[in-house]
């Protein structure tokens, strides 16, 4: 592959994902540009880049493109979040003659809306959550039966005009349907002046499973297997793995086939993810497509051996000659956890402070994608994710063990984190078994929320802490505020190296 | 001096090292930051982490992570902590006020609901006491450092 001269890549994002993309750029001989918004001057990605520029906001598309033009950037990677799925940004970038490392703007428009994406999926025969809209007063019993059979039980009856969960009713059998529907229609009429009902199939004990895809933009594409992302706290993914455990081969095959249909239909370009709900019988339903590189992409990289960012760059550099990777089956198993600066015992409130010490796990099968450094101030202006810890191993059992090890070896001090919460997940029998659904972390089966989650050291452990205090080796050696300059950091490390041996009373 | 630990919004006695512990365990701070404790009698070896900055501490021991506050206890037996200091830690919005002026509340009772970063948080009473005055209104935008309410701890 021959590179065009003087390629320059800007990441229109921050923190760990910017750092991760910079690594790929370095490996491909491309220079890097970071942007930073006010309050993010001390962030790690700003240290890493070859060139940096400040912007008022990571959401200011116009300003970011202006900076890119000024610095003669040749490609922009949007990361995830921020502008990554805003088609107007992709359009602005390409209009400026800069390559956008992601899908085409029109694909984002087509697949961005949940309803529009569902319509495309239905048209090409990808299963979506079945639904029906009906006016009870104009529906015969036979029609009602037909509609409800098509939706499938259990189903939810909702007011078509309503929002949220108001007046939602669950129905398990046809015998219950008519009386329940009549009540719901009356309620809907009273509340919204419209008695039209909306039936939706209820996916029970749903698992969130998604397929990573990569398309060349001409309709050709590959899938890079699936990820299980069912461990979510209030719809926020916490633990992701690849491949999905205990998945029927027929389901897996169906997921891959329908994902590839969507790639072909949309002539998808670059990396994307097709999200599904899977019920306990293995039926799957398309929910949405994420038209970007995702937070959890490293687990796919670990089992496929494909560096997704390399592929994105390669496709942009040589679109005509680009060949898709050829994959047969996933190798081993990978798990990712998201480390957040938040306090699980107090409603997951974001924690602020200055990072004063870091010990990272390393060793076989351990990958760390991080956005924090010692001396860095964690505020509340940005997302509280500080790092992603990814492990891979030949088997799932070993990957879980490895995650337990990696969490055990990781220390973050100066800010509160969810490390203890992650350890609790990693050691839970249901997680070890791999039998979870999207409700699990929020359910009473898991001690994660509602103040239940409050570990307390034992008396013997407190005694150890007291001994450390008595010996005078407890002080965290970081400067108390701001970014530690490099000479201070050097001294700090020197300070930590002093060994206090054999101190007894 | 005696100390109290405050973790997970709950207070706990901070156990001082006993003479036995002090005599039996020898501690070494290793390069990298881990502390290795060796029992000179049994040769048992234990690796843990403990660091403190001002009142806050972070620890990892037996595979568990802890972070919280270490508070000196005065002679009356209650921690020297200004419980009535309810200030906004980050920008947000007051969603709901759950108490009224003059109301007595138990420890850990929710006082206010704050919305920040698309999430809702309860501001809880760190001690039993009386809400003297609520200083904010529902829907109000908060700036960090802004006082939320005047609170008086119950007499112990």
């Amino acid at each position: 592959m021959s590179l065009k001269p003087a390629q320059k890549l800007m990441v229109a994002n921050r923190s760990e994902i910017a750092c991760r993309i910079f690594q790929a750029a370095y490996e491909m001989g491309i220079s890097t540009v970071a942007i930073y918004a006010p309050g993010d001057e001390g962030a790690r990605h700003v240290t890493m880049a070859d060139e940096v520029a400040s912007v008022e906001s990571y959401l200011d598309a116009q300003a970011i493109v202006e900076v890119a033009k000024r610095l003669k950037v040749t490609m922009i990677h949007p990361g995830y979040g921020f502008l990554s799925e805003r088609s107007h940004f992709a359009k602005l970038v390409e209009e400026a003659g800069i390559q956008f490392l992601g899908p085409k703007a029109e694909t984002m428009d087509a697949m961005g809306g949940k309803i529009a994406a569902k319509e495309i999926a239905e048209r090409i025969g990808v299963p979506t959550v079945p639904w029906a809209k009906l006016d009870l007063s104009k529906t015969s019993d036979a029609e009602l039966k037909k509609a409800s059979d098509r939706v499938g039980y259990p189903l939810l009856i909702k007011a078509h005009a309503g929002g949220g969960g108001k007046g939602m009713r669950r129905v398990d059998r046809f015998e219950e349907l008519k009386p329940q529907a009549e009540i719901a229609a009356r309620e809907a009429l009273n509340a919204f002046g419209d008695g039209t009902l909306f039936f939706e199939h209820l996916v029970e004990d749903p698992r969130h499973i998604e397929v990573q895809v990569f398309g060349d933009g001409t309709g050709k594409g590959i899938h890079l297997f699936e990820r299980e992302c069912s461990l979510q706290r209030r719809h926020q993914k916490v633990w992701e793995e690849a491949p999905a455990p205990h998945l029927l081969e027929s389901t897996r095959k169906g997921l891959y086939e329908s994902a590839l249909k969507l790639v072909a239909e949309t002539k998808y370009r670059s990396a994307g993810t097709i999200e599904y709900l899977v019920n306990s019988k293995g039926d799957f339903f398309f929910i949405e497509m994420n038209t970007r590189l995702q937070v959890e992409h490293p687990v796919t990289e670990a089992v496929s051996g494909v560096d997704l960012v390399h592929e994105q760059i390669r496709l942009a550099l040589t679109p005509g000659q680009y060949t898709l990777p050829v994959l047969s089956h996933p190798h081993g198993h990978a798990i990712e956890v998201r480390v957040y600066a938040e306090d699980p015992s107090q409603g997951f409130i974001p924690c602020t402070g200055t990072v004063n010490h870091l010990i990272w796990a390393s060793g076989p099968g351990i990958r760390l994608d991080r956005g924090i450094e010692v001396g860095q101030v964690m505020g509340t202006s940005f997302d509280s994710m500080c790092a992603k810890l990814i492990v891979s191993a030949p088997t799932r059992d070993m990957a879980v063990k490895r995650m337990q090890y990696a969490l055990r070896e990781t220390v973050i001090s100066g800010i509160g984190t969810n490390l203890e919460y992650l350890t609790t997940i990693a050691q839970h029998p249901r997680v070890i078994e791999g039998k979870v659904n999207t409700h699990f972390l929020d359910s009473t089966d898991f001690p994660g929320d509602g103040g239940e989650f409050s570990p307390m050291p034992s008396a013997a452990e407190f005694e150890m802490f007291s001994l450390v205090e008595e010996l005078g080796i407890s002080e965290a050696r970081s400067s108390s505020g701001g970014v530690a300059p490099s000479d201070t950091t050097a001294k700090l490390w020197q300070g930590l190296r002093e060994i206090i041996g054999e101190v007894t009373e | 001096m005696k100390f109290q630990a405050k973790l997970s919004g709950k207070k706990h006695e901070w156990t001082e090292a006993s003479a036995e512990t002090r005599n039996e365990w020898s501690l070494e701070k290793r390069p990298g930051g881990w502390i290795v404790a060796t029992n000179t009698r049994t040769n048992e070896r234990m690796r843990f982490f403990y660091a403190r900055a001002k009142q806050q501490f972070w620890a990892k021991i037996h595979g568990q992570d802890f972070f919280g506050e270490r508070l000196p206890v005065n002679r009356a037996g209650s921690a020297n902590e200004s419980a009535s200091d309810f200030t906004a830690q980050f920008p947000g919005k007051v969603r709901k006020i759950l108490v009224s002026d003059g109301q007595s509340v138990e420890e850990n009772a929710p006082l206010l609901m704050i919305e920040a970063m698309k999430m809702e948080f309860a501001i809880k009473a760190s001690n039993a006491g009386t809400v003297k005055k609520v200083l904010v209104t529902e829907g109000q935008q908060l700036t960090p450092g802004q006082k939320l309410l005047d609170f008086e701890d119950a007499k112990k």
Side-chain angles (χ1 to χ4, degrees):
Chain A
M1 188 186 62
S2 63
L3 295 185
K4 293 171 198 164
Q7 291 290 330
K8 197 188 273 191
L9 188 156
M10 171 195 270
V11 179
N13 213 299
R14 62 181 298 278
S15 197
E16 70 85 17
I17 192 63
C19 298
R20 186 259 172 273
I21 296 163
F22 290 158
Q23 180 184 344
Y26 173 83
E27 288 162 355
M28 299 186 77
I30 297 168
S31 69
T32 54
V33 178
I35 56 168
Y36 61 96
D40 219 9
E41 297 82 359
R44 181 168 186 255
H45 73 280
V46 184
T47 313
M48 299 266 296
D50 296 325
E51 285 175 85
V52 297
S54 69
V55 291
E56 268 314 298
S57 156
Y58 292 111
L59 290 169
D60 192 341
Q62 195 77 48
I64 291 170
V65 174
E66 285 309 314
V67 169
K69 283 200 274 193
R70 179 161 55 83
L71 297 178
K72 302 197 162 39
V73 162
T74 58
M75 48 180 75
I76 291 184
H77 197 301
Y80 50 73
F82 296 119
L83 296 167
S84 62
E85 293 183 274
R86 307 275 179 92
S87 61
H88 79 274
F89 178 60
K91 223 170 277 166
L92 273 181
V93 170
E94 299 208 326
E95 278 165 11
I98 299 169
Q99 283 189 292
F100 183 78
L101 299 181
K104 292 166 265 189
E106 63 256 35
T107 318
M108 289 190 203
D109 284 333
M111 298 306 284
K114 284 195 187 190
I115 303 289
K118 245 177 123 156
E119 280 167 2
I120 293 177
E122 279 167 11
R123 198 175 68 226
I124 59 169
V126 171
T128 60
V129 181
W131 57 276
K133 188 179 118 177
L134 45 95
D135 182 343
L136 215 54
S137 61
K138 293 177 194 152
T139 311
S140 71
D141 283 6
E143 282 167 339
L144 185 66
K145 171 112 175 63
K146 214 173 131 201
S148 63
D149 282 350
R150 201 184 63 242
V151 172
Y153 294 96
L155 59 81
L156 281 179
I157 305 178
K158 304 178 190 176
H160 186 254
K166 199 170 186 329
M168 247 176 14
R169 283 161 194 283
R170 179 198 163 118
V171 176
D172 289 285
R173 289 172 293 133
F174 179 67
E175 293 70 49
E176 298 168 13
L177 181 67
K178 200 164 179 204
Q180 292 286 351
E182 278 168 352
I183 299 169
R186 235 181 356 257
E187 279 181 0
L189 193 63
N190 289 338
F192 309 107
D194 178 359
T196 311
L197 297 179
F198 188 79
F199 291 180
E200 190 180 53
H201 181 66
L202 176 67
V203 182
E204 279 192 292
D205 302 326
R207 290 168 70 182
H208 176 118
I209 296 179
E210 55 189 35
V211 177
Q212 174 72 53
V213 294
F214 198 95
D216 70 359
T218 70
K220 277 192 296 215
I222 56 164
H223 69 79
L224 295 95
F225 320 114
E226 80 285 2
R227 294 186 286 258
E228 161 100 50
C229 308
S230 298
L231 285 169
Q232 307 181 356
R233 195 189 74 78
R234 303 199 185 156
H235 306 293
Q236 170 82 266
K237 294 169 188 168
V238 189
W239 166 297
E240 299 111 336
E241 49 186 285
H246 311 294
L247 190 64
L248 288 173
E249 270 319 303
S250 54
T251 305
R252 184 170 276 130
K253 200 163 154 267
L255 289 171
Y256 294 166
E257 278 170 8
S258 61
L260 289 180
K261 272 193 212 168
L262 282 163
V263 172
E265 174 67 22
T266 56
K267 292 196 171 53
Y268 195 79
R269 183 184 75 189
S270 201
T273 295
I274 324 268
E275 297 194 328
Y276 300 89
L277 289 180
V278 178
N279 69 14
S280 48
K281 288 184 286 179
D283 304 323
F284 62 90
F285 309 96
F286 166 80
I287 36 178
E288 62 174 318
M289 177 162 196
N290 290 323
T291 54
R292 58 176 151 84
L293 187 72
Q294 279 189 288
V295 176
E296 59 270 30
H297 76 276
V299 291
T300 294
E301 295 185 325
V303 299
S304 68
V306 173
D307 185 307
L308 286 163
V309 180
H310 279 202
E311 293 307 316
Q312 290 184 302
I313 295 172
R314 207 164 269 149
L315 173 62
L317 287 175
T318 56
Q321 297 132 274
Y322 179 77
T323 49
L324 290 156
V326 180
L327 304 170
S328 55
H329 57 88
H331 293 276
H333 200 95
I335 302 172
E336 171 184 284
V337 292
R338 303 187 186 189
V339 182
Y340 287 98
E342 62 185 18
D343 186 350
S345 71
Q346 308 210 64
F348 293 83
I349 195 164
C351 294
T352 58
T354 305
V355 179
N356 59 36
H357 201 95
L358 293 170
I359 304 175
W360 297 113
S362 60
I366 298 174
R367 166 176 171 179
L368 175 77
D369 284 19
R370 69 182 165 111
I372 58 165
E373 300 275 17
V374 169
Q376 193 168 320
V377 180
M378 286 299 284
T380 55
S381 312
F382 307 105
D383 186 62
S384 58
M385 192 170 79
C386 14
K388 304 183 309 204
L389 194 52
I390 304 109
V391 298
S392 54
T395 63
R396 183 176 186 275
D397 283 351
M398 192 48 68
V400 173
K401 266 269 164 255
R402 192 159 276 174
M403 182 56 81
Q404 292 170 353
Y405 173 80
L407 287 168
R408 196 185 156 80
E409 294 302 312
T410 300
V411 175
I412 300 174
S413 88
I415 50 169
T417 68
N418 67 339
L419 277 173
E420 180 59 23
Y421 180 72
L422 296 173
T423 299
T424 308
I425 294 175
Q427 290 175 345
H428 197 284
R430 290 264 307 270
V431 176
I432 292 171
E433 253 187 289
K435 293 195 170 156
V436 295
N437 58 49
T438 58
H439 304 311
F440 176 67
L441 285 187
D442 292 329
S443 76
T444 50
D445 294 341
F446 188 78
D449 223 331
E452 266 181 272
F453 191 85
S454 40
M456 193 62 76
S458 68
E461 289 168 343
F462 271 125
E463 283 199 64
M464 281 299 146
F465 304 161
S466 295
L467 268 189
V468 180
E469 292 284 359
E470 285 177 25
L471 295 170
I473 52 173
S474 66
E475 260 342 279
R477 310 285 178 116
S478 168
S479 58
S480 56
V483 183
S486 55
D487 57 332
T488 316
T489 313
K491 272 186 221 146
L492 191 151
W493 282 103
Q494 205 178 5
L496 288 168
R497 274 191 200 105
E498 62 176 81
I499 298 169
I500 297 163
E502 292 300 312
V503 187
T504 42
E505 178 94 6
Chain B
M1 197 181 210
K2 279 196 164 303
F3 290 92
Q4 201 170 53
K6 189 176 168 192
L7 288 104
S8 314
K10 293 192 188 80
K11 276 182 243 144
H12 197 268
E13 192 195 338
W14 185 290
T15 319
E16 297 291 303
S18 66
E20 200 188 1
T21 303
R22 218 174 272 136
N23 289 332
E24 281 194 353
W25 290 90
S26 140
L27 264 56
E28 181 191 1
K29 191 157 186 173
R30 302 287 304 169
W34 290 103
I35 294 164
V36 170
T38 310
N39 187 308
T40 49
R41 190 172 52 82
T42 62
N43 280 331
E44 182 191 343
R45 200 168 186 262
M46 181 174 65
R47 178 171 55 122
F48 68 102
F49 181 88
Y50 174 87
R52 183 172 54 78
K54 292 183 188 143
Q55 289 191 334
Q56 288 187 292
F57 75 94
W58 297 267
K60 182 162 200 131
I61 188 162
H62 296 127
Q64 274 200 297
D65 289 85
F66 301 102
F67 59 93
E69 284 174 271
R70 178 178 186 257
L71 307 164
V73 178
N74 64 24
R75 246 180 282 161
S78 70
N80 275 337
E81 170 207 14
S82 169
S84 50
D85 184 30
F86 287 96
T87 48
Q89 302 290 311
F90 41 79
K93 191 175 166 185
V94 180
R95 284 283 301 184
K96 207 160 177 57
I97 294 169
L98 305 167
V99 289
S100 47
D101 294 356
Q103 190 176 331
S104 297
V105 295
E106 295 296 312
E107 184 176 331
N108 274 328
L111 307 174
L112 303 171
M113 296 302 292
I114 305 289
E115 184 186 273
M117 284 166 284
K118 294 186 252 166
M119 292 181 281
E120 257 190 45
F121 307 101
I123 302 290
K124 292 179 183 171
S126 45
N127 289 304
T130 309
V131 178
K132 289 179 74 181
K133 191 162 178 50
V134 179
L135 303 169
V136 291
T137 54
E138 285 184 9
Q140 188 176 336
Q141 286 291 339
L142 298 171
T143 49
Q146 186 172 355
K147 211 160 178 216
L148 303 172
L149 44 85
D150 276 334
F151 192 87
E152 193 175 66
D153 285 357
K155 300 276 182 293
K156 296 225 168 169

